[in-house]
């Protein structure tokens, strides 16, 4: 039989082992969380860096939406501005995300659909835009996010629309950066841009 002192020693050892096990688990989970948080942080930084600069042609050639586009081509900033000035019916979809507020404005009438939100349910946009004959996608430079969204939307249109009634799906060449650079000082910029505070 154990003496009272022996029992106390065993209880103390058991408590110490439990504490050590708990501390080890906490450190292990902490390390896992830290590694996961670091990967997420690094991935987000890489994503921002990729989408914050003009890309090289070789980078773009790697993407399926450039190699085999389902969308109908590019529209120039001049052509889109002309449509807006004439009041033509065109749906403009802005898929910028972290950089959406960078210039404090967007193209007049543009619908903001951040890329990840759009890609998770392109059909929800399709039901909203079904009356539009032309849909123009853009991001900051229209290199990745704009064309990727146009590709998914064109794929959706191919599945759901008859060929002779299919919407024209375009990408704004040069993206918002080019459009803003060319027209930011235009005398009719109030027709071309909308302040984000007003939306």
């Amino acid at each position: 039989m154990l003496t009272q002192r022996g029992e106390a020693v065993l209880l103390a050892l058991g408590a110490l082992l439990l504490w050590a096990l708990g501390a080890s688990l906490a450190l292990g989970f902490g390390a896992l969380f830290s590694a996961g948080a670091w990967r997420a942080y690094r991935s987000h930084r890489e994503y921002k860096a990729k989408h914050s600069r003009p890309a090289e042609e070789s980078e773009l050639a790697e993407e399926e939406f450039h190699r085999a586009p389902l969308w109908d081509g590019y529209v120039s900033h001049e052509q889109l501005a002309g449509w807006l000035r004439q009041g033509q019916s065109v749906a403009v979809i802005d898929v910028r995300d972290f950089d959406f507020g960078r210039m404090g404005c967007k193209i007049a009438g543009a619908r903001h659909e951040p890329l990840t939100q759009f890609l998770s349910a392109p059909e929800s946009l399709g039901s909203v835009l079904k009356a539009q004959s032309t849909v123009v996608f853009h991001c900051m430079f229209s290199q990745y996010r704009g064309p990727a969204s146009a590709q998914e939307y064109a794929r959706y249109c191919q599945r759901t629309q008859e060929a002779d009634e299919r919407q024209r799906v375009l990408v704004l060449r040069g993206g918002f950066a080019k459009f803003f650079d060319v027209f930011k000082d235009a005398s009719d910029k109030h027709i071309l841009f909308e302040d984000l505070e007003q939306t």
Side-chain angles (χ1 to χ4, degrees):
M1 293 192 83
L2 289 175
T3 63
Q4 276 188 322
R5 183 175 181 163
E7 286 179 6
V9 168
L10 282 177
L11 283 173
L13 284 173
L16 183 62
L17 283 172
L18 283 174
W19 176 85
L21 179 62
S24 297
L25 286 173
L27 286 173
F29 284 128
L32 283 174
F33 175 76
S34 295
W38 173 248
R39 277 192 302 277
Y41 171 74
R42 191 177 64 214
S43 175
H44 181 68
R45 281 186 51 137
E46 289 168 358
Y47 177 86
K48 284 180 75 171
K50 178 179 181 176
H51 299 291
S52 296
R53 63 172 175 76
E56 301 293 327
E57 285 296 321
S58 59
E59 293 175 286
L60 298 179
E62 297 172 6
E63 303 294 345
E64 178 250 357
F65 45 79
H66 286 297
R67 285 192 329 272
L70 302 175
W71 39 284
D72 300 303
Y74 286 99
V75 61
S76 69
H77 51 278
E78 294 97 346
Q79 182 66 59
L80 180 58
W83 291 342
L84 294 172
R85 287 171 170 145
Q86 295 163 14
Q88 287 190 16
S89 179
V90 57
V92 179
I93 311 302
D94 185 335
V95 296
R96 291 177 293 163
D97 36 41
F98 68 91
D99 50 353
F100 178 64
R102 185 172 295 168
M103 275 89 161
C105 62
K106 63 177 186 164
I107 294 174
R111 180 183 178 95
H112 183 224
E113 292 280 337
L115 177 67
T116 52
Q117 177 182 313
F118 169 75
L119 291 180
S120 67
E123 64 282 352
S124 64
L125 189 59
S127 62
V128 172
L129 300 177
K130 60 185 172 189
Q132 298 288 336
S133 61
T134 303
V135 182
V136 177
F137 286 87
H138 77 84
C139 56
M140 185 59 82
F141 300 104
S142 289
Q143 302 172 138
Y144 296 105
R145 295 170 291 174
S149 300
Q151 186 83 340
E152 287 310 306
Y153 190 74
R155 188 172 280 127
Y156 162 79
C157 291
Q158 287 181 352
R159 285 194 321 266
T160 61
Q161 299 171 4
E162 296 297 326
D164 58 340
E165 297 175 0
R166 197 167 292 149
Q167 291 171 310
R168 186 164 56 150
V169 180
L170 303 172
V171 173
L172 176 60
R173 186 178 297 281
F176 185 76
K178 178 75 170 177
F179 192 88
F180 182 80
D181 188 52
V182 170
F183 298 113
K184 67 180 184 270
D185 297 320
S187 59
D188 62 350
K189 65 182 177 184
H190 62 283
I191 295 172
L192 304 176
F193 296 103
E194 218 175 300
D195 287 339
L196 295 183
E197 291 82 37
Q198 296 172 350
T199 59

